[in-house]
Amino acid sequence: MKKISEEAKTSIKKLIISVVAIGLFLGGVYLIFYFLGWTKISQEQLQEYVRSTGAIAPLVFILISFLQVTFVPIPGAVTILAGSYVFGAGYSFLYSYIGMMIGSIVAYLLGKLIGKPYVNWITGGQDKTDEWIAKMKGKENVLLFFMFLFPFFPDDLLCSVAAVLPIKWYGFLGMQIITRATSIGATLLIMSGEIIPFYGWGSWVLGGIAII
């Protein structure tokens, strides 16, 4: 009972941190937009303005995408969709892919260099790390690939866990190249509303995807 209570406390603590981080991120974005007068302009005008700032805005977004994978517990969908609104789906895909790929590699390398202490901090404790390792023992490559591919698993957490598994660096890199592109593309395709609209024919397509 004590173990369950401790796990519940850890889960609640992570949930609170995630909610606060997301709230601060979205609130900060809104305040910036408000003081710059962007809340009163259309999405097209906003995208045009951001592009006119040159390299600064994309670099900041890439940094946020990088931190999202390594240190800040923000769900990837939040940053991807925010990028879609500001930059458009195409640029959001590119910038998210760059930031998340760099973040995935850094998280893996930190796990390799620091070892279990870093991985335990990311997972929430030694017990959680051992649990993930036990689940994938003997079938690490196959399970990790599909865990990275599908949106039901904490792929950012698994980047650090992969560092303490018997997986070659090039195998991990290959997984990231394929699955990051797939997950970002799927998020933009299904949730942005730019590619598949939330009305008309789009509602039927999204319904079909949800059923599948």
Side-chain angles (χ1 to χ4, degrees):
M1 183 66 76
K2 185 179 179 181
K3 184 178 179 181
I4 296 174
S5 176
E6 288 175 355
E7 289 182 354
K9 286 179 182 177
T10 301
S11 298
I12 292 170
K13 187 191 233 180
K14 284 193 169 185
L15 178 61
I16 292 171
I17 292 172
S18 298
V19 170
V20 171
I22 293 169
L24 290 173
F25 173 73
L26 294 177
V29 170
Y30 177 80
L31 286 175
I32 291 170
F33 286 5
Y34 178 80
F35 286 115
L36 292 175
W38 291 358
T39 56
K40 298 178 182 179
I41 63 177
S42 66
Q43 181 177 351
E44 290 74 19
Q45 290 173 313
L46 176 60
Q47 290 171 357
E48 195 59 39
Y49 182 86
V50 170
R51 291 192 189 104
S52 70
T53 62
I56 298 175
L59 287 175
V60 170
F61 182 76
I62 289 171
L63 176 62
I64 292 171
S65 297
F66 163 79
L67 292 173
Q68 176 262 318
V69 178
T70 50
F71 300 108
V72 184
I74 300 174
V78 173
T79 58
I80 293 168
L81 294 175
S84 175
Y85 183 83
V86 176
F87 302 105
Y91 283 104
S92 178
F93 177 89
L94 176 63
Y95 300 149
S96 296
Y97 188 71
I98 293 171
M100 289 183 178
M101 278 298 299
I102 296 172
S104 298
I105 293 169
V106 169
Y108 179 80
L109 291 176
L110 286 173
K112 282 292 187 186
L113 293 172
I114 302 174
K116 285 280 186 75
Y118 172 76
V119 179
N120 293 341
W121 178 71
I122 294 294
T123 60
Q126 178 71 46
D127 292 342
K128 289 292 184 181
T129 302
D130 292 340
E131 187 179 334
W132 280 109
I133 293 172
K135 284 178 181 177
M136 292 182 279
K137 188 175 181 180
K139 43 190 181 294
E140 294 87 357
N141 287 288
V142 174
L143 282 181
L144 262 185
F145 179 82
F146 284 104
M147 284 179 174
F148 283 130
L149 185 64
F150 294 116
F152 315 113
F153 301 97
D155 50 354
D156 301 330
L157 175 151
L158 292 172
C159 287
S160 60
V161 174
V164 293
L165 293 173
I167 294 174
K168 301 294 185 181
W169 68 267
Y170 49 81
F172 173 80
L173 182 60
M175 290 181 197
Q176 292 304 302
I177 290 171
I178 296 170
T179 59
R180 286 293 177 185
T182 304
S183 62
I184 295 170
T187 299
L188 290 168
L189 179 69
I190 298 170
M191 300 176 66
S192 70
E194 287 194 26
I195 302 170
I196 300 178
F198 297 135
Y199 53 85
W201 64 270
S203 61
W204 290 96
V205 172
L206 292 174
I209 291 173
I211 292 170
I212 293 172

